[in-house]
Amino acid sequence: MQQHFHLNTPLLESVGMSKRVGTTVYLKMESAQPSGSFKIRGIGHLCQQMAKQSKGIVCSSGMAAAHVARKMGLPATIVIPSSSPQLVVQKLQDEGATVKITGKVWDDANAEALRLMETEGLTYVPPFDHPLLWEGHSTVITEIAASMGQNQKPGAVVMSVGGGGLLCGVVQGLRAVGWEDVPIVALETVGADCFNAAVKAGTIVTLDDITSEAKCLGAKTVCRKAFEYSQSTELSIISELVGDQQALHAVETFLDEERVLVELACGAALAAVYSGVIRRLQDEGRLPSPLGPLVMIVCGGSSINMEQLANLQHKIHRHT
């Protein structure tokens, strides 16, 4: 019997967002996961399958892996870039993980994690590019389907994209519940937009650098599977960009209206409503009007607190 590390998270109606967009908006509250984000779904599932006989795991994406390793009684080494806030280091250490800081961006940290797998004989846990992760993440959609019931179906699913792991899981989940025709609106911030760059170029692109403050979206290259899904004629995946300022505004508004603090990477998805992206897509005929209920995946994030929010406000408002 497989143990689950993730929770079946609440699906809440947002009155404020519904009013803005003119249709019912449901929030899938992945911010309520024990590790602070959706990642525990896939990482929990993958560790169950792969790490049972392990002498320890190594991962370049922290909280979920550290939490699962602690629950499984395994040592965890988490490699993170120097751009990670101090609060993340502290939280990882609280979960019992060994933290190693390497390089400037996620890609640097990941290269070090792969090196440790070779030299230390640790089990490498990929943060977004693995079929077992996608299988774990797909449970987010099966839960939404169960909550909405037989007679309701989303008009669209709105989510953030980083490396593409959640996107792959969402596609697989939609297929599993017979919702292949539900459009996915995939948001990224300008400067952490490896998926959008690939969609525009028609081929996988590696960004020169991550210039957005949404460091958790910060993979320089999207996973191949996510790119393949974006090219599929059977699926409708709409890739959109917002600025850091719009993502920050969404974080602030969400905190005011829903009393939940999420990180900037999650704010990108919320900005689809708060900055009028959904309305614009309807005006352009890319989403239907009227639109069925909108499901927002509130992916959460553990690298945010009030001090970090103040830092972001200072940085982002200074640049604009």
Side-chain angles (χ1 to χ4, degrees), residues 213 245 248 310-320:
E213 290 299 328
Q245 189 153 24
L248 177 61
N311 287 346
L312 288 170
Q313 287 166 328
H314 177 70
K315 272 183 185 164
I316 291 168
H317 293 322
R318 200 186 58 206
H319 283 309
T320 46

Side-chain angles (χ1 to χ4, degrees), residues 77-138:
T77 303
I78 308 295
V79 191
I80 53 175
S82 59
S83 56
S84 312
Q86 181 53 40
L87 96 110
V88 172
V89 177
Q90 188 56 55
K91 281 184 168 183
L92 289 168
Q93 287 170 339
D94 290 347
E95 286 279 6
T98 302
V99 180
K100 189 163 185 189
I101 296 170
T102 303
K104 189 166 87 89
V105 294
W106 172 81
D107 300 73
D108 305 333
N110 194 52
E112 175 63 13
L114 288 166
R115 191 189 70 76
L116 288 172
M117 170 185 78
E118 293 296 331
T119 56
E120 312 281 314
L122 298 171
T123 302
Y124 171 72
V125 176
F128 54 81
D129 196 356
H130 196 285
L132 286 171
L133 290 177
W134 311 330
E135 202 175 279
H137 295 333
S138 71

Side-chain angles (χ1 to χ4, degrees), residues 169-192:
V170 165
V171 168
Q172 293 179 9
L174 291 174
R175 285 182 168 166
V177 300
W179 285 352
E180 292 94 330
D181 57 338
V182 171
I184 298 170
V185 185
L187 275 292
E188 293 167 284
T189 50
V190 176

Side-chain angles (χ1 to χ4, degrees), residues 9-319:
T9 52
L11 188 70
L12 307 175
E13 188 180 332
S14 167
V15 175
M17 280 191 164
S18 301
K19 200 171 93 181
R20 279 186 175 81
V21 85
T23 186
T24 307
V25 175
Y26 291 114
L27 306 171
K28 182 61 171 162
M29 298 299 292
E30 290 298 285
S31 52
Q33 291 292 1
S35 62
S37 87
F38 74 92
K39 288 183 180 174
I40 194 164
R41 291 178 184 274
I43 284 177
H45 183 60
L46 179 131
C47 288
Q48 286 277 357
Q49 306 287 333
M50 286 176 58
K52 285 197 178 92
Q53 312 305 315
S54 172
K55 64 179 213 182
I57 66 167
V58 62
C59 185
S60 55
S61 174
M63 284 307 297
H67 179 82
V68 169
R70 179 170 69 78
K71 290 289 189 191
M72 289 179 73
L74 291 172
T77 303
I78 308 295
V79 191
I80 53 175
S82 59
S83 56
S84 312
Q86 181 53 40
L87 96 110
V88 172
V89 177
Q90 188 56 55
K91 281 184 168 183
L92 289 168
Q93 287 170 339
D94 290 347
E95 286 279 6
T98 302
V99 180
K100 189 163 185 189
I101 296 170
T102 303
K104 189 166 87 89
V105 294
W106 172 81
D107 300 73
D108 305 333
N110 194 52
E112 175 63 13
L114 288 166
R115 191 189 70 76
L116 288 172
M117 170 185 78
E118 293 296 331
T119 56
E120 312 281 314
L122 298 171
T123 302
Y124 171 72
V125 176
F128 54 81
D129 196 356
H130 196 285
L132 286 171
L133 290 177
W134 311 330
E135 202 175 279
H137 295 333
S138 71
T139 56
V140 76
I141 297 293
T142 44
E143 284 175 22
I144 290 166
S147 298
M148 289 181 78
Q150 297 287 297
N151 50 358
Q152 247 195 336
K153 178 176 178 176
V157 174
V158 182
M159 58 175 292
S160 298
V161 176
L166 180 59
L167 177 62
C168 293
V170 165
V171 168
Q172 293 179 9
L174 291 174
R175 285 182 168 166
V177 300
W179 285 352
E180 292 94 330
D181 57 338
V182 171
I184 298 170
V185 185
L187 275 292
E188 293 167 284
T189 50
V190 176
D193 48 0
C194 63
F195 179 64
N196 185 266
V199 169
K200 280 185 181 146
T203 183
I204 291 181
V205 172
T206 298
L207 304 176
D208 294 334
D209 194 13
I210 301 297
T211 54
S212 166
E213 290 299 328
K215 300 303 180 196
C216 295
L217 290 180
K220 291 200 282 192
T221 317
V222 77
C223 73
R224 178 163 296 283
K225 191 60 153 179
F227 172 70
E228 284 169 7
Y229 283 146
S230 78
Q231 303 297 294
S232 159
T233 48
E234 280 108 74
L235 299 164
S236 166
I237 300 176
I238 302 168
S239 170
E240 288 288 325
L241 297 180
V242 292
D244 277 1
Q245 189 153 24
Q246 290 168 301
L248 177 61
H249 168 70
V251 167
E252 294 166 338
T253 311
F254 195 71
L255 179 59
D256 279 346
E257 292 190 356
E258 309 295 338
R259 304 168 309 285
V260 175
L261 179 59
V262 295
E263 64 189 36
L264 206 59
C266 180
L270 304 175
V273 168
Y274 293 134
S275 291
V277 175
I278 300 295
R279 288 277 196 190
R280 176 171 57 74
L281 290 171
Q282 288 180 285
D283 293 343
E284 291 170 0
R286 295 171 70 198
L287 282 176
S289 305
L291 187 63
L294 208 56
V295 173
M296 314 278 303
I297 299 182
V298 183
C299 52
S302 47
S303 66
I304 187 90
N305 59 11
M306 290 308 286
E307 186 188 353
Q308 191 58 24
L309 178 62
N311 287 346
L312 288 170
Q313 287 166 328
H314 177 70
K315 272 183 185 164
I316 291 168
H317 293 322
R318 200 186 58 206
H319 283 309

